[in-house]
mmCIF file of all heavy atoms in Angstrom:
data_model
loop_
_atom_site.group_PDB
_atom_site.id
_atom_site.type_symbol
_atom_site.label_atom_id
_atom_site.label_comp_id
_atom_site.label_asym_id
_atom_site.label_seq_id
_atom_site.Cartn_x
_atom_site.Cartn_y
_atom_site.Cartn_z
ATOM 1 N N LEU A 1 104.328 74.087 82.598
ATOM 2 C CA LEU A 1 103.838 73.811 81.266
ATOM 3 C C LEU A 1 104.331 74.796 80.250
ATOM 4 O O LEU A 1 104.554 74.427 79.049
ATOM 5 C CB LEU A 1 102.331 73.792 81.251
ATOM 6 C CG LEU A 1 101.689 72.631 81.984
ATOM 7 C CD1 LEU A 1 100.177 72.795 82.140
ATOM 8 C CD2 LEU A 1 102.015 71.318 81.350
ATOM 9 N N VAL A 2 104.511 76.113 80.606
ATOM 10 C CA VAL A 2 104.860 77.128 79.605
ATOM 11 C C VAL A 2 106.397 77.340 79.604
ATOM 12 O O VAL A 2 106.910 78.219 78.879
ATOM 13 C CB VAL A 2 104.154 78.467 79.770
ATOM 14 C CG1 VAL A 2 102.623 78.239 79.534
ATOM 15 C CG2 VAL A 2 104.385 79.049 81.067
ATOM 16 N N GLY A 3 107.112 76.662 80.530
ATOM 17 C CA GLY A 3 108.571 76.822 80.511
ATOM 18 C C GLY A 3 109.102 78.026 81.351
ATOM 19 O O GLY A 3 110.252 78.407 81.172
ATOM 20 N N TRP A 4 108.273 78.529 82.258
ATOM 21 C CA TRP A 4 108.703 79.607 83.068
ATOM 22 C C TRP A 4 109.452 79.071 84.374
ATOM 23 O O TRP A 4 109.033 78.056 84.882
ATOM 24 C CB TRP A 4 107.579 80.499 83.550
ATOM 25 C CG TRP A 4 106.994 81.398 82.575
ATOM 26 C CD1 TRP A 4 107.370 81.526 81.244
ATOM 27 C CD2 TRP A 4 105.791 82.227 82.734
ATOM 28 N NE1 TRP A 4 106.544 82.427 80.563
ATOM 29 C CE2 TRP A 4 105.616 82.852 81.519
ATOM 30 C CE3 TRP A 4 104.980 82.495 83.814
ATOM 31 C CZ2 TRP A 4 104.556 83.773 81.339
ATOM 32 C CZ3 TRP A 4 103.969 83.383 83.588
ATOM 33 C CH2 TRP A 4 103.746 84.008 82.405
ATOM 34 N N CYS A 5 110.446 79.734 84.787
ATOM 35 C CA CYS A 5 111.155 79.390 85.999
ATOM 36 C C CYS A 5 110.757 80.331 87.098
ATOM 37 O O CYS A 5 110.984 81.573 86.957
ATOM 38 C CB CYS A 5 112.723 79.435 85.717
ATOM 39 S SG CYS A 5 113.671 79.037 87.127
ATOM 40 N N ILE A 6 110.264 79.824 88.185
ATOM 41 C CA ILE A 6 109.808 80.625 89.305
ATOM 42 C C ILE A 6 111.012 81.068 90.113
ATOM 43 O O ILE A 6 111.732 80.192 90.646
ATOM 44 C CB ILE A 6 108.792 79.974 90.156
ATOM 45 C CG1 ILE A 6 107.524 79.660 89.329
ATOM 46 C CG2 ILE A 6 108.338 80.839 91.366
ATOM 47 C CD1 ILE A 6 106.497 78.833 90.058
ATOM 48 N N PHE A 7 111.196 82.351 90.297
ATOM 49 C CA PHE A 7 112.291 82.878 91.108
ATOM 50 C C PHE A 7 111.740 83.181 92.491
ATOM 51 O O PHE A 7 112.380 82.936 93.483
ATOM 52 C CB PHE A 7 112.845 84.183 90.485
ATOM 53 C CG PHE A 7 113.921 84.793 91.352
ATOM 54 C CD1 PHE A 7 115.193 84.200 91.484
ATOM 55 C CD2 PHE A 7 113.713 85.999 91.972
ATOM 56 C CE1 PHE A 7 116.195 84.774 92.233
ATOM 57 C CE2 PHE A 7 114.684 86.610 92.737
ATOM 58 C CZ PHE A 7 115.954 85.961 92.850
ATOM 59 N N LYS A 8 110.541 83.807 92.614
ATOM 60 C CA LYS A 8 109.928 84.126 93.863
ATOM 61 C C LYS A 8 108.441 83.991 93.734
ATOM 62 O O LYS A 8 107.827 84.347 92.725
ATOM 63 C CB LYS A 8 110.300 85.584 94.117
ATOM 64 C CG LYS A 8 109.647 86.148 95.416
ATOM 65 C CD LYS A 8 110.196 87.570 95.767
ATOM 66 C CE LYS A 8 109.334 88.527 95.068
ATOM 67 N NZ LYS A 8 109.523 89.960 95.508
ATOM 68 N N LEU A 9 107.797 83.433 94.806
ATOM 69 C CA LEU A 9 106.334 83.306 94.884
ATOM 70 C C LEU A 9 105.940 83.557 96.296
ATOM 71 O O LEU A 9 106.191 82.687 97.078
ATOM 72 C CB LEU A 9 105.966 81.931 94.308
ATOM 73 C CG LEU A 9 104.419 81.673 94.324
ATOM 74 C CD1 LEU A 9 103.686 82.660 93.443
ATOM 75 C CD2 LEU A 9 104.116 80.243 93.839
ATOM 76 N N VAL A 10 105.361 84.723 96.544
ATOM 77 C CA VAL A 10 105.011 85.108 97.986
ATOM 78 C C VAL A 10 103.678 85.769 97.982
ATOM 79 O O VAL A 10 103.163 86.188 97.007
ATOM 80 C CB VAL A 10 106.112 86.084 98.536
ATOM 81 C CG1 VAL A 10 107.471 85.397 98.604
ATOM 82 C CG2 VAL A 10 106.128 87.381 97.675
ATOM 83 N N PRO A 11 103.034 85.902 99.202
ATOM 84 C CA PRO A 11 101.830 86.686 99.322
ATOM 85 C C PRO A 11 102.040 88.074 98.902
ATOM 86 O O PRO A 11 103.049 88.647 99.119
ATOM 87 C CB PRO A 11 101.478 86.538 100.781
ATOM 88 C CG PRO A 11 102.153 85.350 101.273
ATOM 89 C CD PRO A 11 103.380 85.251 100.441
ATOM 90 N N ASN A 12 101.077 88.684 98.209
ATOM 91 C CA ASN A 12 101.128 90.076 97.780
ATOM 92 C C ASN A 12 101.057 90.972 99.047
ATOM 93 O O ASN A 12 100.199 90.883 99.867
ATOM 94 C CB ASN A 12 99.952 90.409 96.837
ATOM 95 C CG ASN A 12 100.023 91.746 96.251
ATOM 96 O OD1 ASN A 12 100.907 92.599 96.576
ATOM 97 N ND2 ASN A 12 99.072 92.072 95.352
ATOM 98 N N VAL A 13 102.032 91.844 99.154
ATOM 99 C CA VAL A 13 102.069 92.725 100.331
ATOM 100 C C VAL A 13 100.893 93.626 100.416
ATOM 101 O O VAL A 13 100.363 93.951 101.529
ATOM 102 C CB VAL A 13 103.362 93.620 100.298
ATOM 103 C CG1 VAL A 13 103.457 94.549 101.446
ATOM 104 C CG2 VAL A 13 104.583 92.677 100.234
ATOM 105 N N LYS A 14 100.341 94.034 99.267
ATOM 106 C CA LYS A 14 99.242 94.923 99.255
ATOM 107 C C LYS A 14 97.846 94.270 99.418
ATOM 108 O O LYS A 14 96.820 94.898 99.705
ATOM 109 C CB LYS A 14 99.257 95.833 97.988
ATOM 110 C CG LYS A 14 100.447 96.790 97.922
ATOM 111 C CD LYS A 14 100.387 97.599 96.671
ATOM 112 C CE LYS A 14 101.633 98.473 96.648
ATOM 113 N NZ LYS A 14 101.720 99.245 95.417
ATOM 114 N N ASN A 15 97.792 92.993 99.161
ATOM 115 C CA ASN A 15 96.596 92.187 99.227
ATOM 116 C C ASN A 15 96.912 90.779 99.477
ATOM 117 O O ASN A 15 97.318 89.978 98.676
ATOM 118 C CB ASN A 15 95.730 92.267 97.868
ATOM 119 C CG ASN A 15 94.493 91.576 97.969
ATOM 120 O OD1 ASN A 15 94.200 90.762 98.863
ATOM 121 N ND2 ASN A 15 93.561 91.921 97.054
ATOM 122 N N LYS A 16 96.779 90.382 100.787
ATOM 123 C CA LYS A 16 97.240 89.087 101.235
ATOM 124 C C LYS A 16 96.464 87.889 100.579
ATOM 125 O O LYS A 16 96.915 86.744 100.662
ATOM 126 C CB LYS A 16 97.159 88.992 102.761
ATOM 127 C CG LYS A 16 98.029 89.967 103.467
ATOM 128 C CD LYS A 16 99.432 89.631 103.401
ATOM 129 C CE LYS A 16 100.326 90.505 104.215
ATOM 130 N NZ LYS A 16 101.705 90.371 103.924
ATOM 131 N N LYS A 17 95.351 88.170 99.949
ATOM 132 C CA LYS A 17 94.602 87.091 99.327
ATOM 133 C C LYS A 17 95.102 86.790 97.923
ATOM 134 O O LYS A 17 94.796 85.811 97.349
ATOM 135 C CB LYS A 17 93.102 87.539 99.167
ATOM 136 C CG LYS A 17 92.404 87.693 100.483
ATOM 137 C CD LYS A 17 90.923 88.134 100.302
ATOM 138 C CE LYS A 17 90.309 88.299 101.586
ATOM 139 N NZ LYS A 17 88.925 88.818 101.436
ATOM 140 N N GLN A 18 96.080 87.581 97.496
ATOM 141 C CA GLN A 18 96.701 87.370 96.176
ATOM 142 C C GLN A 18 98.153 86.948 96.376
ATOM 143 O O GLN A 18 98.713 87.043 97.461
ATOM 144 C CB GLN A 18 96.739 88.673 95.376
ATOM 145 C CG GLN A 18 95.379 89.237 95.052
ATOM 146 C CD GLN A 18 95.471 90.525 94.328
ATOM 147 O OE1 GLN A 18 96.561 91.250 94.369
ATOM 148 N NE2 GLN A 18 94.416 90.926 93.669
ATOM 149 N N LEU A 19 98.701 86.417 95.295
ATOM 150 C CA LEU A 19 100.152 86.050 95.330
ATOM 151 C C LEU A 19 100.876 86.945 94.349
ATOM 152 O O LEU A 19 100.279 87.419 93.408
ATOM 153 C CB LEU A 19 100.359 84.536 94.854
ATOM 154 C CG LEU A 19 99.765 83.520 95.805
ATOM 155 C CD1 LEU A 19 99.878 82.157 95.106
ATOM 156 C CD2 LEU A 19 100.556 83.485 97.100
ATOM 157 N N GLN A 20 102.168 87.165 94.641
ATOM 158 C CA GLN A 20 103.013 87.920 93.757
ATOM 159 C C GLN A 20 104.132 87.078 93.403
ATOM 160 O O GLN A 20 104.779 86.353 94.255
ATOM 161 C CB GLN A 20 103.503 89.178 94.521
ATOM 162 C CG GLN A 20 104.321 90.090 93.674
ATOM 163 C CD GLN A 20 104.641 91.419 94.374
ATOM 164 O OE1 GLN A 20 104.213 91.556 95.502
ATOM 165 N NE2 GLN A 20 105.351 92.308 93.751
ATOM 166 N N SER A 21 104.563 87.085 92.102
ATOM 167 C CA SER A 21 105.633 86.165 91.668
ATOM 168 C C SER A 21 106.583 86.962 90.724
ATOM 169 O O SER A 21 106.188 87.876 89.962
ATOM 170 C CB SER A 21 105.074 84.981 90.963
ATOM 171 O OG SER A 21 106.058 84.102 90.619
ATOM 172 N N VAL A 22 107.774 86.476 90.708
ATOM 173 C CA VAL A 22 108.779 86.879 89.724
ATOM 174 C C VAL A 22 109.204 85.611 89.031
ATOM 175 O O VAL A 22 109.606 84.653 89.650
ATOM 176 C CB VAL A 22 110.011 87.543 90.370
ATOM 177 C CG1 VAL A 22 111.022 87.837 89.209
ATOM 178 C CG2 VAL A 22 109.595 88.820 91.076
ATOM 179 N N VAL A 23 109.028 85.570 87.687
ATOM 180 C CA VAL A 23 109.463 84.450 86.868
ATOM 181 C C VAL A 23 110.318 84.812 85.734
ATOM 182 O O VAL A 23 110.447 85.964 85.381
ATOM 183 C CB VAL A 23 108.162 83.654 86.313
ATOM 184 C CG1 VAL A 23 107.234 83.204 87.440
ATOM 185 C CG2 VAL A 23 107.386 84.589 85.404
ATOM 186 N N PHE A 24 111.014 83.847 85.213
ATOM 187 C CA PHE A 24 111.816 84.053 84.015
ATOM 188 C C PHE A 24 111.322 83.136 82.898
ATOM 189 O O PHE A 24 111.046 81.952 83.094
ATOM 190 C CB PHE A 24 113.261 83.795 84.269
ATOM 191 C CG PHE A 24 113.877 84.785 85.161
ATOM 192 C CD1 PHE A 24 113.850 84.568 86.587
ATOM 193 C CD2 PHE A 24 114.428 86.003 84.688
ATOM 194 C CE1 PHE A 24 114.514 85.543 87.434
ATOM 195 C CE2 PHE A 24 114.970 86.912 85.498
ATOM 196 C CZ PHE A 24 115.017 86.724 86.849
ATOM 197 N N ASP A 25 111.075 83.722 81.756
ATOM 198 C CA ASP A 25 110.562 82.876 80.550
ATOM 199 C C ASP A 25 111.777 82.211 80.026
ATOM 200 O O ASP A 25 112.954 82.329 80.407
ATOM 201 C CB ASP A 25 109.851 83.841 79.540
ATOM 202 C CG ASP A 25 110.798 84.762 78.806
ATOM 203 O OD1 ASP A 25 112.033 84.634 78.883
ATOM 204 O OD2 ASP A 25 110.204 85.605 78.102
ATOM 205 N N PRO A 26 111.508 81.285 79.038
ATOM 206 C CA PRO A 26 112.593 80.539 78.438
ATOM 207 C C PRO A 26 113.745 81.320 77.780
ATOM 208 O O PRO A 26 114.868 80.828 77.678
ATOM 209 C CB PRO A 26 111.928 79.674 77.315
ATOM 210 C CG PRO A 26 110.550 79.493 77.861
ATOM 211 C CD PRO A 26 110.235 80.837 78.483
ATOM 212 N N ASP A 27 113.456 82.582 77.446
ATOM 213 C CA ASP A 27 114.505 83.472 76.846
ATOM 214 C C ASP A 27 115.280 84.275 77.966
ATOM 215 O O ASP A 27 116.144 85.007 77.596
ATOM 216 C CB ASP A 27 113.842 84.430 75.900
ATOM 217 C CG ASP A 27 113.275 83.711 74.689
ATOM 218 O OD1 ASP A 27 113.749 82.694 74.240
ATOM 219 O OD2 ASP A 27 112.209 84.174 74.199
ATOM 220 N N GLY A 28 114.895 84.024 79.212
ATOM 221 C CA GLY A 28 115.629 84.694 80.311
ATOM 222 C C GLY A 28 114.969 86.083 80.646
ATOM 223 O O GLY A 28 115.539 86.778 81.484
ATOM 224 N N ASN A 29 113.821 86.402 80.047
ATOM 225 C CA ASN A 29 113.227 87.675 80.421
ATOM 226 C C ASN A 29 112.440 87.626 81.776
ATOM 227 O O ASN A 29 111.765 86.606 81.998
ATOM 228 C CB ASN A 29 112.170 88.065 79.310
ATOM 229 C CG ASN A 29 112.889 88.229 77.974
ATOM 230 O OD1 ASN A 29 113.840 88.951 77.831
ATOM 231 N ND2 ASN A 29 112.340 87.553 76.969
ATOM 232 N N LYS A 30 112.640 88.612 82.560
ATOM 233 C CA LYS A 30 111.975 88.674 83.913
ATOM 234 C C LYS A 30 110.501 89.129 83.677
ATOM 235 O O LYS A 30 110.227 90.098 82.987
ATOM 236 C CB LYS A 30 112.695 89.576 84.774
ATOM 237 C CG LYS A 30 112.080 89.774 86.140
ATOM 238 C CD LYS A 30 112.832 90.808 86.902
ATOM 239 C CE LYS A 30 111.989 91.334 88.064
ATOM 240 N NZ LYS A 30 112.321 92.649 88.500
ATOM 241 N N ILE A 31 109.575 88.455 84.375
ATOM 242 C CA ILE A 31 108.204 88.785 84.327
ATOM 243 C C ILE A 31 107.691 88.866 85.749
ATOM 244 O O ILE A 31 107.790 87.917 86.583
ATOM 245 C CB ILE A 31 107.346 87.677 83.513
ATOM 246 C CG1 ILE A 31 107.943 87.545 82.187
ATOM 247 C CG2 ILE A 31 105.933 88.103 83.472
ATOM 248 C CD1 ILE A 31 107.384 86.340 81.427
ATOM 249 N N ASP A 32 107.071 89.992 86.124
ATOM 250 C CA ASP A 32 106.410 90.213 87.427
ATOM 251 C C ASP A 32 104.950 89.886 87.219
ATOM 252 O O ASP A 32 104.299 90.440 86.339
ATOM 253 C CB ASP A 32 106.559 91.666 87.906
ATOM 254 C CG ASP A 32 108.034 91.909 88.182
ATOM 255 O OD1 ASP A 32 108.626 91.206 89.061
ATOM 256 O OD2 ASP A 32 108.601 92.874 87.569
ATOM 257 N N VAL A 33 104.432 89.001 88.063
ATOM 258 C CA VAL A 33 103.075 88.567 87.959
ATOM 259 C C VAL A 33 102.322 88.648 89.312
ATOM 260 O O VAL A 33 102.897 88.311 90.338
ATOM 261 C CB VAL A 33 103.002 87.056 87.511
ATOM 262 C CG1 VAL A 33 101.598 86.569 87.358
ATOM 263 C CG2 VAL A 33 103.777 86.867 86.199
ATOM 264 N N ILE A 34 101.003 89.064 89.223
ATOM 265 C CA ILE A 34 100.113 88.974 90.357
ATOM 266 C C ILE A 34 99.099 87.861 90.067
ATOM 267 O O ILE A 34 98.595 87.846 88.900
ATOM 268 C CB ILE A 34 99.385 90.321 90.583
ATOM 269 C CG1 ILE A 34 100.318 91.467 90.943
ATOM 270 C CG2 ILE A 34 98.262 90.199 91.552
ATOM 271 C CD1 ILE A 34 100.912 91.319 92.292
ATOM 272 N N ILE A 35 98.884 86.988 90.948
ATOM 273 C CA ILE A 35 97.908 85.962 90.806
ATOM 274 C C ILE A 35 96.688 86.355 91.671
ATOM 275 O O ILE A 35 96.822 86.429 92.967
ATOM 276 C CB ILE A 35 98.474 84.604 91.262
ATOM 277 C CG1 ILE A 35 99.666 84.221 90.388
ATOM 278 C CG2 ILE A 35 97.402 83.488 91.071
ATOM 279 C CD1 ILE A 35 100.949 84.408 91.065
ATOM 280 N N THR A 36 95.551 86.611 91.061
ATOM 281 C CA THR A 36 94.401 86.996 91.834
ATOM 282 C C THR A 36 93.708 85.791 92.513
ATOM 283 O O THR A 36 93.991 84.693 92.102
ATOM 284 C CB THR A 36 93.339 87.714 90.897
ATOM 285 O OG1 THR A 36 92.831 86.776 89.994
ATOM 286 C CG2 THR A 36 93.975 88.883 90.133
ATOM 287 N N GLU A 37 92.827 86.132 93.417
ATOM 288 C CA GLU A 37 92.159 84.980 94.155
ATOM 289 C C GLU A 37 91.168 84.286 93.283
ATOM 290 O O GLU A 37 90.826 83.185 93.550
ATOM 291 C CB GLU A 37 91.450 85.456 95.453
ATOM 292 C CG GLU A 37 90.462 86.573 95.321
ATOM 293 C CD GLU A 37 89.967 87.049 96.651
ATOM 294 O OE1 GLU A 37 89.805 86.206 97.503
ATOM 295 O OE2 GLU A 37 89.784 88.232 96.793
ATOM 296 N N SER A 38 90.852 84.826 92.095
ATOM 297 C CA SER A 38 89.923 84.154 91.121
ATOM 298 C C SER A 38 90.817 83.315 90.129
ATOM 299 O O SER A 38 90.283 82.621 89.292
ATOM 300 C CB SER A 38 89.088 85.107 90.420
ATOM 301 O OG SER A 38 89.882 86.041 89.627
ATOM 302 N N GLY A 39 92.160 83.376 90.265
ATOM 303 C CA GLY A 39 93.044 82.568 89.435
ATOM 304 C C GLY A 39 93.473 83.222 88.235
ATOM 305 O O GLY A 39 94.093 82.595 87.335
ATOM 306 N N ARG A 40 93.236 84.575 88.041
ATOM 307 C CA ARG A 40 93.760 85.286 86.867
ATOM 308 C C ARG A 40 95.183 85.685 87.133
ATOM 309 O O ARG A 40 95.600 85.925 88.262
ATOM 310 C CB ARG A 40 92.919 86.548 86.612
ATOM 311 C CG ARG A 40 91.511 86.178 86.213
ATOM 312 C CD ARG A 40 90.552 87.411 86.004
ATOM 313 N NE ARG A 40 91.224 88.647 85.745
ATOM 314 C CZ ARG A 40 91.024 89.839 86.281
ATOM 315 N NH1 ARG A 40 90.112 89.912 87.191
ATOM 316 N NH2 ARG A 40 91.694 90.869 85.966
ATOM 317 N N TYR A 41 95.970 85.722 86.060
ATOM 318 C CA TYR A 41 97.367 86.106 86.163
ATOM 319 C C TYR A 41 97.547 87.478 85.419
ATOM 320 O O TYR A 41 97.169 87.682 84.266
ATOM 321 C CB TYR A 41 98.314 85.175 85.394
ATOM 322 C CG TYR A 41 98.197 83.674 85.944
ATOM 323 C CD1 TYR A 41 98.512 82.635 85.206
ATOM 324 C CD2 TYR A 41 97.715 83.468 87.226
ATOM 325 C CE1 TYR A 41 98.430 81.309 85.679
ATOM 326 C CE2 TYR A 41 97.572 82.181 87.738
ATOM 327 C CZ TYR A 41 97.941 81.148 86.947
ATOM 328 O OH TYR A 41 97.855 79.814 87.467
ATOM 329 N N ILE A 42 98.099 88.478 86.204
ATOM 330 C CA ILE A 42 98.246 89.807 85.722
ATOM 331 C C ILE A 42 99.724 90.058 85.603
ATOM 332 O O ILE A 42 100.483 89.972 86.571
ATOM 333 C CB ILE A 42 97.552 90.787 86.713
ATOM 334 C CG1 ILE A 42 96.124 90.434 87.031
ATOM 335 C CG2 ILE A 42 97.680 92.223 86.196
ATOM 336 C CD1 ILE A 42 95.225 90.436 85.838
ATOM 337 N N LYS A 43 100.154 90.407 84.415
ATOM 338 C CA LYS A 43 101.537 90.800 84.190
ATOM 339 C C LYS A 43 101.771 92.247 84.474
ATOM 340 O O LYS A 43 101.043 93.131 83.901
ATOM 341 C CB LYS A 43 101.904 90.517 82.696
ATOM 342 C CG LYS A 43 103.288 90.790 82.366
ATOM 343 C CD LYS A 43 103.579 90.413 80.878
ATOM 344 C CE LYS A 43 104.969 90.756 80.437
ATOM 345 N NZ LYS A 43 105.133 90.372 79.006
ATOM 346 N N LEU A 44 102.666 92.605 85.365
ATOM 347 C CA LEU A 44 102.981 94.015 85.718
ATOM 348 C C LEU A 44 103.965 94.550 84.710
ATOM 349 O O LEU A 44 105.075 93.992 84.563
ATOM 350 C CB LEU A 44 103.443 94.070 87.140
ATOM 351 C CG LEU A 44 102.518 93.500 88.206
ATOM 352 C CD1 LEU A 44 103.191 93.561 89.583
ATOM 353 C CD2 LEU A 44 101.188 94.159 88.227
ATOM 354 N N LEU A 45 103.617 95.648 84.040
ATOM 355 C CA LEU A 45 104.487 96.275 83.082
ATOM 356 C C LEU A 45 105.267 97.420 83.560
ATOM 357 O O LEU A 45 106.213 97.907 82.828
ATOM 358 C CB LEU A 45 103.648 96.663 81.881
ATOM 359 C CG LEU A 45 102.783 95.565 81.271
ATOM 360 C CD1 LEU A 45 101.798 96.193 80.232
ATOM 361 C CD2 LEU A 45 103.632 94.462 80.670
ATOM 362 N N GLY A 46 104.977 97.941 84.760
ATOM 363 C CA GLY A 46 105.657 99.152 85.289
ATOM 364 C C GLY A 46 104.851 100.403 85.061
ATOM 365 O O GLY A 46 103.918 100.404 84.233
ATOM 366 N N ASN A 47 105.105 101.455 85.792
ATOM 367 C CA ASN A 47 104.351 102.654 85.647
ATOM 368 C C ASN A 47 102.901 102.483 85.787
ATOM 369 O O ASN A 47 102.139 103.047 85.078
ATOM 370 C CB ASN A 47 104.738 103.438 84.392
ATOM 371 C CG ASN A 47 106.113 103.929 84.336
ATOM 372 O OD1 ASN A 47 106.740 104.196 85.382
ATOM 373 N ND2 ASN A 47 106.706 103.967 83.165
#
């Protein structure tokens, strides 16, 4: 719906109840996302 292209979607290594994803937005920017078990999406910014 938002135009993101999923590159990778796997279980989170640190918490198997969550998912970890790498997506690219329509402008080609890479976004690292954690999907929590409650359905929230967390954008990882680094550091």
Side-chain angles (χ1 to χ4, degrees):
L1 292 171
V2 298
W4 287 357
C5 178
I6 299 173
F7 177 71
K8 179 175 87 169
L9 181 60
V10 296
N12 185 356
V13 177
K14 295 181 180 178
N15 183 345
K16 298 289 184 191
K17 294 179 182 177
Q18 298 176 342
L19 293 171
Q20 184 174 1
S21 184
V22 175
V23 299
F24 290 92
D25 70 11
D27 296 327
N29 300 310
K30 178 182 160 207
I31 305 170
D32 293 302
V33 180
I34 295 290
I35 300 103
T36 68
E37 59 184 320
S38 62
R40 293 177 25 226
Y41 303 157
I42 309 297
K43 180 178 179 180
L44 304 177
L45 304 173
N47 292 330

